Amino acid sequence: MRVDPADSLSEILPAEAFGHSVPASLSAALRTDVESVVAPGSPEEVAALLRWASKTAVGVVPVGTGAHTYPRYPSDPFVVLTTSRLTEIGHYEPADLTLTASAGARVGDLSTAMAVHGQWLPFDPPDVPNRTLGGLVAAGLSGPLWAGYGQLRNHVLGATVVCGDGRVLKLGGRVVKNVAGFDILKPMVGSRGDLAVITSLTVRLFPLPAVDRLLIVEASDISELVSTARAIATAPVMPASIVLSSTSVGGRLLVRLHGVSDSVGADQRRLEEHTSVSFDIRNVYELGDLLEGERDRDITGEFAVRLWALPSRIDELLVAVGQIPGVNLTADVYGGSVRVYLPDNLSDIKSVLMRLREDVENLGGTIRALRVPAEVDAFSYFTKPLVDERELATGLKQVFDPHGVLWRVE
Amino acid sequence: MTRPLPSAVVSDLSEIVGRRHVITDPDRLLVYESDGLTAYRIPPRAVVLPASTEEISAVVEVLHRKGVAVIPRGAGTGLSGGALSTPGGVIVGMARMNRILTIDPENRIARAQPGVINAHLTEATSPYGLYYPPDPSSQSACTLGGNVAENSGGPHCLKYGVTARYVTGLTVVLAGGRVMQLGGVGRDPYTTLDLVGLFVGSEGCFGIATEIEIRLLPITEGVRTLLGIFESVESAGRAVTKIIASGLMPAAVEIVDGPTIQAVEASVFAAGYPLEAGAALVIEFDGTEAGLDLDADRAEGYCLEEGAIEVQRATDPEHRTKLWRARKKAFGAMGRIAPDLLVQDATVPRTKLPEVLAGIDDIGSRYGLKIANVFHAGDGNLHPNILFDRQNQKELELVERASKEIMQLCVDAGGTITGEHGVGLDKREYMTLVYGPAELQAMAAAKQVFDPDSLFNPGKVLPEVEGAELGVAMKASTVS
Ligand SMILES: Cc1cc2nc3c(=O)[nH]c(=O)nc-3n(C[C@H](O)[C@H](O)[C@H](O)COP(=O)(O)OP(=O)(O)OC[C@H]3O[C@@H](n4cnc5c(N)ncnc54)[C@H](O)[C@@H]3O)c2cc1C
C-alpha cells in the first residue's frame, strides 16, 4: 500500500513539496509502482516528515534523483522523499578548497561552480554529473579515480543529517582535519539512507590537474590486457585511475595520469618501460568523450552487478564473469572491483547469478546488485555482511533510526 | 590510593599471559600513570601485557566479568590523556603485540599487530618499494594501534590524508572479550556500514584493535624541500594560503614560529635559523622527479611575494634533514626552556590562519604566558604550545583558562577543538563548544553499541553532563 502524500502531509509540508515527477527507474528499483514523491524544501521539513512517519509507522524511502537507487523492498506503507528541492550551494571558500552544499545539488552543477576556480571533486562513478551530492555520498561511490585521490569517505568533512526519528545532527565540520569525538559521520557515507537523510554536506576539493592524460591500449580480447593492467597497478608510479573494459570488438585498458606536463611525460615513459607497451595517448581536456562514454556505459541497462576481490585476483574474477554469455564489464584494476552488465534477455538468470556468486565468494570476494530484473530477488543472490558486522550495524541502525522508518538493514 | 587487584584476578590474568606480564608492583606502575600529557597522573591498578588476539580476548573477558574497566595503551605518547587509567582501571598494553604479520606487495597491504611502532612499518615495507604515509612527528615511538585510536595525522597528511584513509580492515576485541573482524580489502566496503571508519578515532573507548590491515603506497621518486624564512608568522600564513589556493599540491606545509626558532637555536638541536626570524615555513613536494622543480619554483615565488627574507631549497637527503630540523626537534627544544609544555591542538579553515594566530598571540600576552606555535599549516592544524611550570598552581590555572580561550577562538573561526591529538581526558569539556546535546547523545549511543557497559576507557572523550557520564553511567568497579 502506498500513502498518498498530498492527503496525509499537506498539514505539515507546504504545497511546493508535492506534485513532483517520479523518476522512471524508481519503480523498478523499489519493486513496486511509485506514483508520487515528496520533496521537502529544508532540513526542518525533512525532520517534520520523518517525525510524522515515526508516529504513523509509515516508511520513508530517501532518494536523490532516484535514478540510481539500489534494488530493495520498502516497508509498507511508505512515501518516497526526494532531496530535489535541497539544491543550494552554501559556503564555498576556494582558498580553503572546501565546499558546503545541500544534498540535492547535482554534482555536475557543483563541478561547473568549482571549475571556475580550477577545482573539482575527483570522483568518477557512472553518471556522476547527474547524481546528487547526497546520493553520491549515501552510495559511497568514488569511481576508479580513488586510486589517485583516496576514497570519497576520506573527503567528506561534515554533514547535516536528519535521523529516522527527526533528530537533526550536525556532524564533522568544515576543516580538513578533525578528530573531535567519535566519527559517526563515517558510517553515514555509504549507508544508502539506512541511518538518516543527509541534507547537506561539506567536502574537500582538489585542484584540477594541469595535465590529464589518458593512455589507451586495445586488444581483441580483454584477457590479453589483464597482465599489463596489473603490472601498471604494481608499478612505482601512481596513476589517477586504471580501468579495463570490454568492448564489442575486444578489450580496452585506460590509464589516467595527472600532474604537470613534465611529470606526466615521465610517468608515461616509466610505465612504457615497465610494461613494454606503447600507449595511444589522449588529452582528457580536449577529448574526454571516450572516457565519459566508458564511465557512463550501460547506465540505463536493466541488469548490472558489482563484484569485488583482492586486486591481485582480478584475472580470476574476469574468468568467472567471462563464462556468462553476452556480458560487458568495466573493471577498476587498482581497487579490485568490476561492474558487470548482463544482457536483459539472459536465460536462466538465477542459476547464472548463483554460480557467479559462488565463484566470487570462493575468491574471498563479494557480489552486490546494482540493477536487477523484477524476477530476481534483490537479496538472495548477493553477498551478506559478515555476521559480526551485521550485528554492530543493526545496533547502529537502532541509534539513528530507532523506529525503523528508513530502510531496513539487510 | 589505588586499590590493588584481588589476588584471584591477578592469578587468572597470570595464567593467560604469564606472571611476568602482569605488572602490579607500584614502582613499576609509575611509568604508566600518565601519557604524553603530563599534567594528569592516575596510577592504574595493574598493567597486563598480552601477546596475541587470543590473550587480549581472554584478559578482557576476565576483567570485564569482574566489572573492571580496561584502558588500552600503545606507547603512551598521546597528548590528550587518552591512555591514562581511570581510578580502578587496568591498562592493557600493546608492547608485546609488536609483529608485522604479512606484507602483500601485490595488493599493497600489510597486516600488523597494534604495538608495531609507526616508523617500523615503513622500514619493513621499503624493500618492496612501499611505505605507510601517515607520519606523526612521534613516529619513531608511537604505535599503529595508538594511531588507529587517535586517527593520527602528520606533516605529510596534507597530501596523503590521515590514518583513516589507510586502515582497510581490523580485528577487534570488544566487550567481554568478543573477537570480531571488520572490513578488509577484497570485499565491497559497503556490504554493510563503514564500521572500520567508525572504529578509527574511537580513542580506545570502543574496544581494542588487535590486528590492523593497512594500505601502502609506492615510495615516491623524488622530493624537494623548501625552507622560507619570514619576518612574521602572519606573512608565512599568507604564503601558505597562496600556495594552497594556487592549485599546487605540496606533500607538507609546516610552520615554526619565532619563539620556537629561538628555543631550537638555544638548544643542542640548533639548525642555523636566523634568531630574529618571525617564522620559518617548511614546504615539501614529492612525486615524480620531473616536474618537482617547477612546483618548487612556483612555491618559492609565492613565498617571496609574501615577503620571505630568504628561501632555501634541498635536493639531497642531508640538506633536507637540516631544513626539517627545527620542525622536528621543536618539542624537544621547548622542553629545555620550561619545565612543562602543553601541546595544544586545533584546526581552523586555512584562510583563517593569520587572524587566529594573531588572536593566540593576544591571548598569550593577556595571560602573561609564553606560547610557541609549531604546526601543520597546510591543513590549518595549529599546535599552540603553552610553556609553564606545573608546580606553580596559579600558572596552571592560567594555562587552563588560556587553553579554553584558544579553543573558543578556533571554533569561532569555523574550526574545531582537535585536529589530530584527540579529546581524551583533556578536552572532554570543550566538546560542547562544537557539538550540541543531540550529537553528543548519538556519539554516546554509538559507543554503547560496541561497549554497552562502558568498560573500555570510561570517562574519556564525552563530557560529563550534569554530573553524570553522558549516556552511560560510569560503572564503579565491582571488585572489592
Ligand atoms: C613529540 C610528539 C609529537 C607528536 N606528533 C604528532 C603528530 O604529528 N600527529 C599526531 O596525530 N599525533 C602526534 N602526537 C600524538 C601521539 O603520538 C599520537 O596520538 C599517537 O597516535 C599515539 O600513539 P601511542 O601508541 O603513543 O598511543 P597511546 O598514547 O598509548 O594511546 C592513545 C590512545 O589510543 C588508545 N589505544 C592505544 N592502542 C590501542 C589499541 N590497540 N586499540 C584501541 N585503542 C588503543 C589508548 O587507549 C588511548 O586512548 C605526538 C606526540 C608527541 C609526544
Side-chain angles (χ1 to χ4, degrees):
Chain A
M1 184 190 97
R2 279 164 306 281
V3 177
D4 184 351
D7 270 3
S8 333
L9 291 167
S10 54
E11 277 178 20
I12 53 170
L13 295 177
E16 295 83 8
F18 308 106
H20 296 266
S21 62
V22 179
S25 52
L26 195 56
S27 295
L30 301 185
R31 289 142 147 67
T32 176
D33 282 338
V34 178
E35 283 152 12
S36 61
V37 297
V38 186
S42 66
E44 294 72 32
E45 288 182 21
V46 172
L49 172 59
L50 287 166
R51 276 196 301 271
W52 166 84
S54 299
K55 219 180 306 154
T56 54
V58 170
V60 174
V61 173
V63 302
T65 63
H68 297 288
T69 300
Y70 293 111
R72 294 176 105 172
Y73 304 93
S75 49
D76 189 33
F78 70 95
V79 292
V80 174
L81 177 163
T82 166
T83 56
S84 63
R85 286 180 64 231
L86 303 169
T87 56
E88 191 196 357
I89 299 185
H91 192 91
Y92 177 24
E93 180 53 71
D96 281 332
L97 286 113
T98 58
L99 174 138
T100 304
S102 293
R106 278 176 66 257
V107 175
D109 293 339
L110 298 176
S111 300
T112 309
M114 294 183 279
V116 175
H117 299 278
Q119 298 179 354
W120 70 322
L121 255 180
F123 305 109
D124 60 343
D127 204 26
V128 63
N130 294 313
R131 290 178 188 261
T132 62
L133 183 62
L136 186 74
V137 170
L141 290 173
S142 311
L145 276 174
W146 81 268
Y149 292 88
Q151 284 157 353
L152 173 66
R153 78 201 260 275
N154 302 305
H155 305 306
V156 176
L157 307 176
T160 302
V161 305
V162 185
C163 298
D165 57 0
R167 268 172 300 153
V168 179
L169 303 179
K170 289 193 184 347
L171 307 177
R174 59 187 182 85
V175 286
V176 294
K177 265 170 99 183
N178 188 349
V179 293
F182 304 131
D183 194 355
I184 54 177
L185 173 58
K186 278 273 164 29
M188 295 294 162
V189 181
S191 64
R192 291 172 240 165
D194 282 358
L195 301 181
V197 177
I198 299 170
T199 59
S200 88
L201 286 155
T202 301
V203 286
R204 177 185 183 168
L205 310 180
F206 286 78
L208 275 162
V211 175
D212 187 348
R213 184 173 297 177
L214 185 59
L215 312 181
I216 306 170
V217 198
E218 291 185 329
S220 58
D221 194 306
I222 196 167
S223 62
E224 294 167 34
L225 298 169
V226 180
S227 62
T228 306
R230 284 297 306 154
I232 292 171
T234 51
V237 170
M238 270 309 289
S241 64
I242 310 170
V243 171
L244 198 55
S245 80
S246 61
T247 65
S248 55
V249 290
R252 188 185 271 154
L253 171 62
L254 302 150
V255 181
R256 246 169 124 176
L257 297 176
H258 287 172
V260 292
S261 74
D262 288 5
S263 69
V264 165
D267 284 350
Q268 181 189 328
R269 280 190 298 281
R270 280 166 86 196
L271 288 181
E272 281 168 347
E273 276 162 29
H274 192 78
T275 58
S276 312
V277 167
S278 69
F279 301 101
D280 179 14
I281 298 149
R282 308 275 170 91
N283 176 347
V284 175
Y285 289 143
E286 285 166 13
L287 240 174
D289 297 3
L290 170 78
L291 201 62
E292 282 172 19
E294 288 290 352
R295 183 194 68 199
D296 296 347
R297 67 187 300 184
D298 203 27
I299 45 179
T300 51
E302 198 189 331
F303 200 175
V305 298
R306 188 161 186 201
L307 316 178
W308 288 81
L310 278 177
S312 60
R313 306 197 77 169
I314 202 132
D315 51 340
E316 293 165 86
L317 266 190
L318 297 185
V319 169
V321 175
Q323 290 169 1
I324 308 168
V327 291
N328 279 322
L329 62 87
T330 306
D332 165 4
V333 178
Y334 200 81
S337 89
V338 184
R339 284 173 183 270
V340 183
Y341 309 107
L342 298 107
D344 293 349
N345 56 358
L346 195 67
S347 60
D348 208 7
I349 298 180
K350 292 178 184 169
S351 61
V352 167
L353 277 179
M354 206 104 83
R355 203 179 53 236
L356 187 59
R357 175 180 176 180
E358 201 178 301
D359 288 348
V360 172
E361 291 184 352
N362 282 341
L363 291 172
T366 62
I367 175 169
R368 190 215 289 185
L370 296 176
R371 294 183 299 278
V372 290
E375 68 262 37
V376 175
D377 179 83
F379 299 107
S380 306
Y381 303 93
F382 305 99
T383 305
K384 303 265 182 289
L386 303 174
V387 175
D388 291 346
E389 290 186 333
R390 189 168 192 279
E391 187 183 317
L392 292 173
T394 306
L396 289 173
K397 170 80 174 165
Q398 272 292 322
V399 170
F400 293 101
D401 181 23
H403 311 300
V405 166
L406 300 162
W407 297 105
R408 285 172 285 148
V409 171
E410 305 300 340
Chain B
M1 184 59 204
T2 313
R3 281 167 300 143
L5 268 189
S7 58
V9 177
V10 172
S11 88
D12 284 353
L13 295 172
S14 302
E15 209 144 286
I16 302 163
V17 298
R19 183 65 185 92
R20 252 172 5 110
H21 303 302
V22 182
I23 302 170
T24 48
D25 171 2
D27 287 343
R28 287 183 65 204
L29 289 177
L30 278 181
V31 188
Y32 295 92
E33 70 176 13
S34 74
D35 63 1
L37 178 79
T38 50
Y40 301 98
R41 280 158 208 248
I42 305 172
R45 293 171 85 181
V47 173
V48 190
L49 301 171
S52 66
T53 298
E54 294 70 33
E55 286 187 12
I56 292 180
S57 161
V59 164
V60 169
E61 205 251 302
V62 165
L63 292 170
H64 280 185
R65 192 158 17 97
K66 298 282 181 192
V68 178
V70 168
I71 295 92
R73 183 177 174 108
T77 67
L79 291 168
S80 53
L84 233 67
S85 187
T86 36
V90 167
I91 285 178
V92 176
M94 298 298 128
R96 296 173 64 228
M97 295 284 290
N98 56 2
R99 280 183 307 129
I100 296 171
L101 303 169
T102 52
I103 297 171
D104 173 359
E106 273 285 297
N107 292 301
R108 293 187 171 161
I109 45 179
R111 227 183 144 77
Q113 291 186 320
V116 170
I117 306 288
N118 173 301
H120 292 179
L121 182 60
T122 290
E123 276 165 31
T125 59
S126 58
Y128 303 94
L130 299 170
Y131 82 115
Y132 174 58
D135 58 342
S137 308
S138 52
Q139 73 180 144
S140 56
C142 66
T143 66
L144 295 174
N147 296 170
V148 167
E150 301 288 5
N151 192 11
S152 300
H156 291 84
C157 293
L158 171 60
K159 178 171 174 187
Y160 292 101
V162 293
T163 305
R165 178 160 161 188
Y166 297 90
V167 178
T168 53
L170 290 169
T171 303
V172 295
V173 168
L174 301 185
R178 187 152 170 212
V179 182
M180 285 201 186
Q181 306 293 335
L182 309 178
V185 168
R187 292 175 61 80
D188 184 340
Y190 297 115
T191 320
T192 185
L193 300 171
D194 183 3
L195 299 164
V196 173
L198 175 60
F199 195 93
V200 173
S202 60
E203 300 200 26
C205 299
F206 284 16
I208 303 182
T210 63
E211 280 184 29
I212 307 167
E213 185 187 271
I214 289 164
R215 191 181 296 291
L216 305 166
L217 289 186
I219 294 172
T220 48
E221 194 187 24
V223 187
R224 290 292 179 284
T225 309
L226 299 178
L227 174 72
I229 301 291
F230 290 80
E231 261 170 25
S232 72
V233 80
E234 286 79 12
S235 54
R238 277 196 303 274
V240 173
T241 304
K242 227 174 202 171
I243 290 166
I244 301 291
S246 74
L248 283 169
M249 281 263 275
V253 174
E254 303 277 312
I255 289 183
V256 182
D257 75 354
T260 311
I261 292 172
Q262 286 152 22
V264 173
E265 291 305 320
S267 75
V268 291
F269 307 119
Y273 288 19
L275 274 176
E276 64 284 3
L281 176 59
V282 181
I283 307 160
E284 193 154 278
F285 293 95
D286 69 1
T288 302
E289 183 63 41
L292 287 179
D293 280 321
L294 213 66
D295 285 351
D297 288 346
R298 284 177 63 197
E300 183 174 332
Y302 295 128
C303 289
L304 294 171
E305 272 173 42
E306 290 304 330
I309 303 163
E310 62 164 296
V311 183
Q312 295 182 39
R313 184 181 307 191
T315 42
D316 64 86
E318 236 167 84
H319 194 191
R320 180 186 179 207
T321 309
K322 183 160 178 264
L323 297 191
W324 271 101
R325 190 177 299 149
R327 169 64 184 91
K328 299 231 165 171
K329 300 294 181 191
F331 294 119
M334 277 184 255
R336 285 165 175 77
I337 57 172
D340 290 285
L341 174 70
L342 182 77
V343 183
Q344 263 305 354
D345 168 45
T347 316
V348 297
R350 304 176 247 235
T351 45
K352 296 288 189 336
L353 278 175
E355 75 183 61
V356 170
L357 287 166
I360 291 172
D361 198 39
D362 176 55
I363 292 170
S365 327
R366 271 193 286 116
Y367 286 99
L369 290 168
K370 196 162 185 131
I371 303 183
N373 292 285
V374 184
F375 57 100
H376 312 301
D379 288 319
N381 187 183
L382 292 164
H383 292 319
N385 300 301
I386 311 181
L387 300 154
F388 68 106
D389 179 356
R390 188 155 44 97
Q391 305 303 336
N392 180 341
Q393 190 55 37
K394 198 156 171 276
E395 198 171 54
L396 196 59
E397 275 163 29
L398 293 179
V399 169
E400 263 170 36
R401 281 164 55 195
S403 284
K404 180 147 195 189
E405 270 196 44
I406 292 172
M407 290 300 122
Q408 186 71 58
L409 174 74
C410 293
V411 171
D412 289 346
T416 190
I417 58 166
T418 168
E420 58 179 19
H421 295 167
V423 176
L425 190 63
D426 189 41
K427 289 196 167 162
R428 295 169 70 197
E429 302 316 319
Y430 303 151
M431 283 285 277
T432 50
L433 297 179
V434 277
Y435 295 113
E439 289 81 14
L440 294 172
Q441 200 68 52
M443 286 181 197
K447 171 180 161 79
Q448 251 179 318
V449 170
F450 287 80
D451 178 25
D453 297 322
S454 199
L455 287 172
F456 278 112
N457 217 359
K460 307 286 169 63
V461 182
L462 297 172
E464 273 182 49
V465 175
E466 286 163 20
E469 283 299 310
L470 196 86
V472 250
M474 190 166 156
K475 291 216 165 174
S477 167
T478 55
V479 185
S480 50

